[in-house]
mmCIF file of all heavy atoms in Angstrom:
data_model
loop_
_atom_site.group_PDB
_atom_site.id
_atom_site.type_symbol
_atom_site.label_atom_id
_atom_site.label_comp_id
_atom_site.label_asym_id
_atom_site.label_seq_id
_atom_site.Cartn_x
_atom_site.Cartn_y
_atom_site.Cartn_z
ATOM 1 N N HIS Y 107 -6.448 0.166 -6.003
ATOM 2 C CA HIS Y 107 -6.379 1.420 -6.744
ATOM 3 C C HIS Y 107 -5.051 2.088 -6.470
ATOM 4 O O HIS Y 107 -4.493 1.959 -5.382
ATOM 5 C CB HIS Y 107 -7.483 2.382 -6.308
ATOM 6 C CG HIS Y 107 -8.859 1.840 -6.497
ATOM 7 N ND1 HIS Y 107 -9.333 1.428 -7.717
ATOM 8 C CD2 HIS Y 107 -9.857 1.621 -5.619
ATOM 9 C CE1 HIS Y 107 -10.564 0.984 -7.585
ATOM 10 N NE2 HIS Y 107 -10.911 1.078 -6.327
ATOM 11 N N CYS Y 118 -9.333 -2.019 -3.080
ATOM 12 C CA CYS Y 118 -10.667 -1.514 -3.449
ATOM 13 C C CYS Y 118 -11.645 -1.937 -2.366
ATOM 14 O O CYS Y 118 -11.669 -3.084 -1.954
ATOM 15 C CB CYS Y 118 -11.100 -2.069 -4.794
ATOM 16 S SG CYS Y 118 -12.776 -1.549 -5.227
ATOM 17 N N THR Y 119 -12.436 -0.991 -1.882
ATOM 18 C CA THR Y 119 -13.352 -1.310 -0.782
ATOM 19 C C THR Y 119 -14.821 -1.208 -1.182
ATOM 20 O O THR Y 119 -15.689 -1.516 -0.379
ATOM 21 C CB THR Y 119 -13.133 -0.366 0.412
ATOM 22 O OG1 THR Y 119 -13.267 0.978 -0.057
ATOM 23 C CG2 THR Y 119 -11.769 -0.579 1.022
ATOM 24 N N GLY Y 120 -15.068 -0.728 -2.374
ATOM 25 C CA GLY Y 120 -16.481 -0.480 -2.645
ATOM 26 C C GLY Y 120 -16.955 -1.046 -3.953
ATOM 27 O O GLY Y 120 -16.164 -1.345 -4.839
ATOM 28 N N HIS Y 122 -18.220 -0.320 -7.348
ATOM 29 C CA HIS Y 122 -18.352 0.811 -8.287
ATOM 30 C C HIS Y 122 -17.915 0.313 -9.646
ATOM 31 O O HIS Y 122 -17.224 -0.702 -9.739
ATOM 32 C CB HIS Y 122 -17.517 2.017 -7.843
ATOM 33 C CG HIS Y 122 -16.060 1.731 -7.680
ATOM 34 N ND1 HIS Y 122 -15.172 1.746 -8.735
ATOM 35 C CD2 HIS Y 122 -15.331 1.378 -6.595
ATOM 36 C CE1 HIS Y 122 -13.975 1.426 -8.283
ATOM 37 N NE2 HIS Y 122 -14.032 1.193 -7.000
ATOM 38 N N LEU Y 127 -14.197 5.999 -10.384
ATOM 39 C CA LEU Y 127 -13.773 5.994 -8.981
ATOM 40 C C LEU Y 127 -13.543 7.399 -8.468
ATOM 41 O O LEU Y 127 -12.881 8.213 -9.097
ATOM 42 C CB LEU Y 127 -12.472 5.188 -8.872
ATOM 43 C CG LEU Y 127 -11.765 5.223 -7.533
ATOM 44 C CD1 LEU Y 127 -12.592 4.527 -6.472
ATOM 45 C CD2 LEU Y 127 -10.401 4.578 -7.649
ATOM 46 N N GLU Y 140 -12.882 5.674 -0.553
ATOM 47 C CA GLU Y 140 -13.690 5.742 -1.767
ATOM 48 C C GLU Y 140 -14.986 6.460 -1.432
ATOM 49 O O GLU Y 140 -15.633 6.135 -0.435
ATOM 50 C CB GLU Y 140 -14.013 4.327 -2.263
ATOM 51 C CG GLU Y 140 -12.817 3.631 -2.845
ATOM 52 C CD GLU Y 140 -13.169 2.274 -3.471
ATOM 53 O OE1 GLU Y 140 -14.361 1.937 -3.554
ATOM 54 O OE2 GLU Y 140 -12.240 1.566 -3.849
HETATM 55 ZN ZN1 LIG P 206 -12.676 0.603 -5.562
#
Side-chain angles (χ1 to χ4, degrees):
H107 301 302
C118 177
T119 56
H122 58 83
L127 172 67
E140 288 186 6

